[in-house]
Amino acid sequence: MKKWMEFYNSIIEKPLLTSTIVLICVAILVISLSLQYYIRDFDTFIQQVLAEAHGMIFDIAVIGILIFWLNQNGEIRQRIRTYKDEIDDFRLWESEEAAFRTVGNIKRLNRHKIHEINLVNCYLPRTNLNYVNLAGSNLNSSNVSQSSLIEANLENARLNQTNFENSNLNQANLKGAYASGANFKDAFLIKSQFESAFLIKANFNNAFLMEANLQNCYVMGADFENASLYKADLRGAKGLSVEQLSKVKTLYLARFDDEILAQIKTNLPELVGT
């Protein structure tokens, strides 16, 4: 009895072998019951078999494809949930492993066309986020210092108190971003798009903002000390003052509204090259 049980368990532990045995048994049973019809009226019987075969093909084509589609979508949703759960698991964990695994999950979510991601308080320094799409994401209070975000899409993202110190955001899209109190110290922001962004009390100390687009930004209390604003566009900037601009490295070929440009030429001619 014990040997039979071991033999039985060895079979059921192998799904392919089990399926084959079941198929053979069922085939033997069906053929044996149908044998008399094969012999007695083969032509009529074969027509019925062919009709059933066409029905089976239709079932496979419709039901099979539907089940496959549902399974695929279910698997995709499960993977997306797993990636988001892993980001939650690594949140507040300040380690290189947490940073790189979080970035990996961000890129996997992007491949599934997910870009609105909760990254609050995530630790992401010294990571490669080039070309990622984080439009509408929440990165409030995250640490993204010394990272590379070349041409990253951060449009309408929440970046309040986010640390981008010494990061490379060249040609990044930050249009409409909420970046009050964000730290862009020593950051590379060449040709970055900040149009209509909220940069209240943001820190641009020693930042490289050459040819950056800061049109219609809110820059009340922003720190531009020693920043390079060569060819930057600040037309329509809200809360911009000559006092803020007095501490920058250069304003050469920068663009301003006529009123503030006149004040700059009067008070800071050395910065605009006049």
Side-chain angles (χ1 to χ4, degrees):
M1 185 67 180
K2 184 178 181 181
K3 289 183 178 179
W4 279 107
M5 287 300 298
E6 289 177 355
F7 177 70
Y8 173 76
N9 290 331
S10 67
I11 290 174
I12 64 172
E13 287 172 0
K14 300 173 182 176
L16 184 59
L17 178 60
T18 304
S19 300
T20 303
I21 292 172
V22 171
L23 177 62
I24 291 170
C25 292
V26 171
I28 291 171
L29 177 63
V30 171
I31 291 171
S32 63
L33 292 173
S34 306
L35 187 60
Q36 58 178 322
Y37 299 106
Y38 278 111
I39 297 169
R40 187 183 304 167
D41 192 0
F42 179 78
D43 291 339
T44 303
F45 184 75
I46 198 68
Q47 288 177 7
Q48 293 176 354
V49 170
L50 291 173
E52 289 295 328
H54 281 82
M56 181 182 67
I57 291 170
F58 180 78
D59 290 342
I60 292 171
V62 176
I63 298 174
I65 291 171
L66 177 61
I67 291 172
F68 176 78
W69 180 79
L70 290 172
N71 285 338
Q72 283 290 97
N73 276 270
E75 288 176 6
I76 289 170
R77 287 195 296 271
Q78 182 58 44
R79 283 200 295 269
I80 289 171
R81 169 48 52 196
T82 299
Y83 301 149
K84 290 182 176 180
D85 286 345
E86 285 189 3
I87 289 173
D88 285 336
D89 291 340
F90 298 133
R91 199 183 309 278
L92 295 173
W93 182 15
E94 297 188 3
S95 74
E96 286 189 7
E97 181 182 355
F100 288 111
R101 292 183 69 173
T102 299
V103 169
N105 286 318
I106 291 169
K107 292 179 179 179
R108 292 183 190 98
L109 288 169
N110 273 189
R111 284 198 289 270
H112 289 292
K113 299 182 179 178
I114 305 294
H115 55 82
E116 293 187 14
I117 306 170
N118 181 4
L119 296 167
V120 175
N121 289 318
C122 280
Y123 183 79
L124 299 167
R126 297 177 294 281
T127 52
N128 183 348
L129 289 162
N130 294 336
Y131 314 110
V132 297
N133 185 359
L134 292 171
S137 292
N138 189 345
L139 289 92
N140 286 344
S141 302
S142 292
N143 184 352
V144 201
S145 59
Q146 303 178 62
S147 296
S148 184
L149 296 97
I150 296 170
E151 294 188 39
N153 185 2
L154 294 161
E155 186 171 0
N156 297 319
R158 280 168 281 180
L159 310 171
N160 301 307
Q161 306 297 324
T162 304
N163 184 9
F164 290 104
E165 184 174 351
N166 203 30
S167 289
N168 187 342
L169 292 98
N170 289 343
Q171 301 184 64
N173 179 8
L174 294 99
K175 291 181 179 178
Y178 299 86
S180 296
N183 182 10
F184 294 100
K185 183 180 179 183
D186 296 310
F188 290 85
L189 299 156
I190 300 168
K191 294 185 178 179
S192 291
Q193 300 294 317
F194 284 95
E195 188 174 353
S196 301
F198 292 82
L199 304 170
I200 300 166
K201 294 186 178 180
N203 183 1
F204 290 100
N205 194 310
N206 204 40
F208 297 87
L209 287 153
M210 288 83 86
E211 299 184 62
N213 180 5
L214 293 130
Q215 291 187 67
N216 302 310
C217 282
Y218 295 81
V219 293
M220 290 77 84
D223 182 4
F224 290 101
E225 185 174 354
N226 209 36
S228 178
L229 289 162
Y230 170 77
K231 281 190 175 180
D233 192 343
L234 290 105
R235 290 174 297 175
K238 314 295 192 299
L240 186 64
S241 67
V242 175
E243 183 181 356
Q244 284 173 291
L245 298 173
S246 66
K247 300 175 182 179
V248 305
K249 185 181 294 181
T250 179
L251 296 171
Y252 186 64
L253 297 180
R255 306 175 74 180
F256 299 93
D257 292 332
D258 291 340
E259 182 181 349
I260 195 164
L261 181 60
Q263 296 179 47
I264 292 168
K265 286 182 176 180
T266 301
N267 298 292
L268 308 168
E270 68 284 357
L271 293 178
V272 292
T274 57

